[in-house]
């Protein structure tokens, strides 16, 4: 049945905003690369007092986000975007590409402030582990998103990937190439040209990676009536070779005094060949062996991602008035051919044929049309906007049984299914920004979203629909305690709508002990988050401290239960509520003339309902996470960087994940003004692992998986063309020693 929802708004008079310059920052801008009559950036600033100089490419700090300059990180010439995100405070990306922020997994990832198909669902992990960090300008972390941000692709906190921009007049280029052990390599190139009315830039990349892993899972199935326990053990080893390549390009052209058009395109492709072997052994409550056999798996996977966009910026008659419109098409197509071979010594009941095959297709297409209007006035800045978006997803699974004698393939109807979802969103927002005297600044606003879901379970012929109407308020407040210290208070209400894999009810085969399905009855998760922050400068140290609290209702969580004696089903349920909060901090500055330290940490507390427990219990955890980045400049030609990363215990619906620790090392030597030698060592102590524990009334499970850890790369970075932009390791002098991952002046 359709469902209508609306929120009672207490903050409707306050309109959401995006920008407010901090009272303690003056920015020294790089020389502008602006073609004639370029439309001004749509980010008007409120005049502020200025005492501290910060070197950067832009001059506005945004009240609703923290921005981290990553272009000067010397390891970026080799790293993937996943590697770079693992250096951003409170962000974590595990070896499988799963992203968390302050321990929460419902993270929305945008590219230049816009949604992209490759950053949604199961596509995201492959993209993060393939795209080069050298294409990034900065990373913005938006824990309390304002009204200009929609709720598609997650609806929780946002990580915005700001792609590299080069607007310095003339031409500029860079080529990076790195080689590692066991045939690993990567290469990327970037080039730009700006002259007259035209500015163009583009990038190419290629990467070959080889990763292995080992794992073990022990599982106890508990009879709730008798307490009898049946056990199983699954061990595995795997090797995966991945090739990835892609390009991106953009063009900006000034039509005249008031209009600028922009065109952008990107494409990437990945292919993966994997081999794995698993061994299963299961016993009943008496200890008798019920199943025992090895299985080998061969997997071929191919993925394609694309984005095309066209935009127009129109400058109005009033000072600072601007209208921007953008049409964006993005899509992904991922195909997998998986072959299984089982060699039964003790064949379990209802086991598949010894030889089987599975074909998978996952496809997503997004059409996104947006418009944004901004008009500064005497008392503040008004912004209005709209969005029309259509997101279509397909999950197609085809399972085949193979006759061992004839190799004839027959469709297994119980494991074959096609599911389609169309998500249409219409949204309007309004924002307002103003100063209240010399010390107070206010931003706030309101977004309304109408969402229509059309669900088609093609195989079974079942169709369903749902729709939501949501009003989403947000509010931001700043107070300047002094020239160097500012307080920031923010509130945001968000919703997380379930995606295609969350809603698909069909049971999808993973392996002989594990299957998964979605839940078409899922309700959206609603979240309310509050944050109070202090930004200041203590001597030479930029300091940020933030207190935060968050409450989720109708939380979407994984629920697992047995559908047979040995097979565990993973599905989704609305799991009551979750409360979390904590203290987040970051420090960045020079300890000595040659040593720069960037440190960040998060002390968090979380509590949530325990799934699979008849007593409706709550599980809680205190987690401490920290990062430290030490950069030492021996002399103008030689620098060393050490990154330490520790993640504390994190909760999920039925259990928790154990803490993790890693360390990375980077050495850079400038061979000339244009050429540099770079050495990267990832996971120095070979400590990378994923360890989780599940505890419910009917299931106890311990799982550990170890990835290939220590990886060594040696590479060269060569720059050519205009050197006037001073872009950290991408330009002459490589910026300040150790510069890069501190909070940027955004």
């Amino acid at each position: 049945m359709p469902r209508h929802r609306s929120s009672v708004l207490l903050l409707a008079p306050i309109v959401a905003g995006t920008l407010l310059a901090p009272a303690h920052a003056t920015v020294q801008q790089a020389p502008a690369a602006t073609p004639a009559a370029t439309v001004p950036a749509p980010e008007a600033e409120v005049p502020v007092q200025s005492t501290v100089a910060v070197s950067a490419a832009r001059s506005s700090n945004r009240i609703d986000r923290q921005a981290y300059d990553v272009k000067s990180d010397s390891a970026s010439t080799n790293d993937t975007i996943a590697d770079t995100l693992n250096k951003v405070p409170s962000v974590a990306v595990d070896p499988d590409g799963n992203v968390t922020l302050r321990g929460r997994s419902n993270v929305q990832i945008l590219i230049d402030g816009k949604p992209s198909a490759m950053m949604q669902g199961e596509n995201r992990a492959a993209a993060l582990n393939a795209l080069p960090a050298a294409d990034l300008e900065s990373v913005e972390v938006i824990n309390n998103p304002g009204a200009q941000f929609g709720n598609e692709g997650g609806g929780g906190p946002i990580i915005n990937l700001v792609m590299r921009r080069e607007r310095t007049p003339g031409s500029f280029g860079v080529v990076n190439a790195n080689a590692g052990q066991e045939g690993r390599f990567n290469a990327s190139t970037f080039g730009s040209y700006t002259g007259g009315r035209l500015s163009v830039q583009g990038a190419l990349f290629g990467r070959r990676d080889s990763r292995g892993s080992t794992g073990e899972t022990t599982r106890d199935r508990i009879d709730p009536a008798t307490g009898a326990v049946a056990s199983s053990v699954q061990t595995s080893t795997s090797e995966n070779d991945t090739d990835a390549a892609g390009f991106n390009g953009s063009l900006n052209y000034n039509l005249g005094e008031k209009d600028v058009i922009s065109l952008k395109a990107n494409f990437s492709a990945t292919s993966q060949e994997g081999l794995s072997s698993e061994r299963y052994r299961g016993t009943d409550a008496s200890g008798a062996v019920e199943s025992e056999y090895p299985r080998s798996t061969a997997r071929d996977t191919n993925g394609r991602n694309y984005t095309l966009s066209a935009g127009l910026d129109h400058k109005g008659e009033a000072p600072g008035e601007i209208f921007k419109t953008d049409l964006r098409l993005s899509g992904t197509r991922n195909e997998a051919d998986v072959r299984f071979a089982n060699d039964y010594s003790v064949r379990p009941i209802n086991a598949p044929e010894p030889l089987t095959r599975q074909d998978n297709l996952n496809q997503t297409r997004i059409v996104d049309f947006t418009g944004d209007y901004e008009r500064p006035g005497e008392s503040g800045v008004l912004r209005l906007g709209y969005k029309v978006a259509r997101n279509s997803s397909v999950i197609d699974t085809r399972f085949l049984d193979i006759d061992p004698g004839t190799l004839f393939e027959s469709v297994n109807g119980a494991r074959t299914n096609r599911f389609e979802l169309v998500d249409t969103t219409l949204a309007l927002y309004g924002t307002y920004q103003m100063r209240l005297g010399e010390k107070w600044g206010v931003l706030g606003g309101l977004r309304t979203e109408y969402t229509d879901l059309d669900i088609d379970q093609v195989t079974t012929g079942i169709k369903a629909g749902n729709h939501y109407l949501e009003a989403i308020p947000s509010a931001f407040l700043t107070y300047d305690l002094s020239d160097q210290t500012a307080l920031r208070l923010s509130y945001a209400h968000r919703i997380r709508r379930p995606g295609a894999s969350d809603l698909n009810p069909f049971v999808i085969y993973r392996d002989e002990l594990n299957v998964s399905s979605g839940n078409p009855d899922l309700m959206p998760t609603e979240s309310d988050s509050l944050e109070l922050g202090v930004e200041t400068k203590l001597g030479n140290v930029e300091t940020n401290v933030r207190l935060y609290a968050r409450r989720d209702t109708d939380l979407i969580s994984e629920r697992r239960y047995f559908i047979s004696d040995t097979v565990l089903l993973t599905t989704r349920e609305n799991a009551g509520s979750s409360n979390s909060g904590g203290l987040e901090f970051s420090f960045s500055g020079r300890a000595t003339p040659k040593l720069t330290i960037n440190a960040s940490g998060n002390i968090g507390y979380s509590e949530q309902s325990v799934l699979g427990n008849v007593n409706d219990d709550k599980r809680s955890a205190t987690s401490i996470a920290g990062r430290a980045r030490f950069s030492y400049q021996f002399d103008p030609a030689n620098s060393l960087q050490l990154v330490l990363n520790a993640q504390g215990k994190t909760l999920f619906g039925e259990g928790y994940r154990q803490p993790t620790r890693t360390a990375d090392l980077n050495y850079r030597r400038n061979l000339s003004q244009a050429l540099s030698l770079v050495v990267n060592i990832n996971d120095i102590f070979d400590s990378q692992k994923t360890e989780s524990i599940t505890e419910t009334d009917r299931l106890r499970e311990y799982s550990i998986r170890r990835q290939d850890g220590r990886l060594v790369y040696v590479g060269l970075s060569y720059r050519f063309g205009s050197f006037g932009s001073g872009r950290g390791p991408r330009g002459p002098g490589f910026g300040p020693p150790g510069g890069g991952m501190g909070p940027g002046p955004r």
Side-chain angles (χ1 to χ4, degrees), residues 280-301:
Y280 302 92
R281 189 176 192 274
T283 62
D284 61 19
S286 68
V289 176
E290 292 182 315
S291 62
E292 188 167 13
Y293 57 95
R295 183 183 73 166
S296 61
T297 304
R299 182 184 304 269
D300 292 322
T301 304

Side-chain angles (χ1 to χ4, degrees), residues 32 48 336 346 348 444 458 504 528 537 578 582 683 745:
V48 293
V346 179
V458 178
N504 182 12
D528 293 278
K537 188 175 179 70
S578 170
D683 195 11

Side-chain angles (χ1 to χ4, degrees), residues 104-125:
R104 310 298 298 184
S105 60
N106 62 320
V107 180
Q108 185 179 355
I109 296 184
L110 305 179
I111 297 178
D112 288 332
K114 302 290 184 180
S116 172
M118 69 177 171
M119 290 297 167
Q120 296 190 11
E122 297 181 359
N123 310 308
R124 188 163 77 181

Side-chain angles (χ1 to χ4, degrees), residues 37 69 94 148 179 181 254 290 294 464 585-586 613 621 655-656 704 723:
D69 175 17
D94 71 14
Q148 72 273 29
Q181 72 269 44
N254 286 25
E290 292 182 315
F585 58 87
S586 62
N613 192 307
Y656 55 92
I704 184 170
F723 288 93

Side-chain angles (χ1 to χ4, degrees), residues 121-201:
E122 297 181 359
N123 310 308
R124 188 163 77 181
L128 293 177
N129 283 311
L131 297 176
D135 285 349
L136 284 179
E137 182 86 10
S138 63
V139 174
E140 296 177 342
V141 177
I142 310 171
N143 285 292
N144 287 346
Q148 72 273 29
F149 294 107
N151 293 276
E152 62 282 343
I158 291 172
I159 296 173
N160 183 32
L161 305 177
V162 181
M163 305 309 290
R164 186 172 182 177
R165 300 164 181 156
E166 188 68 50
R167 296 289 185 267
T168 304
S171 59
F172 172 80
V174 61
V175 177
N176 305 308
N178 302 273
Q181 72 269 44
E182 300 181 15
R184 300 181 180 93
F185 72 87
N186 63 78
S188 64
T189 182
F190 173 89
S192 71
Y193 168 79
T194 298
R197 295 176 177 270
L198 179 67
S199 179
V200 295
Q201 66 179 46

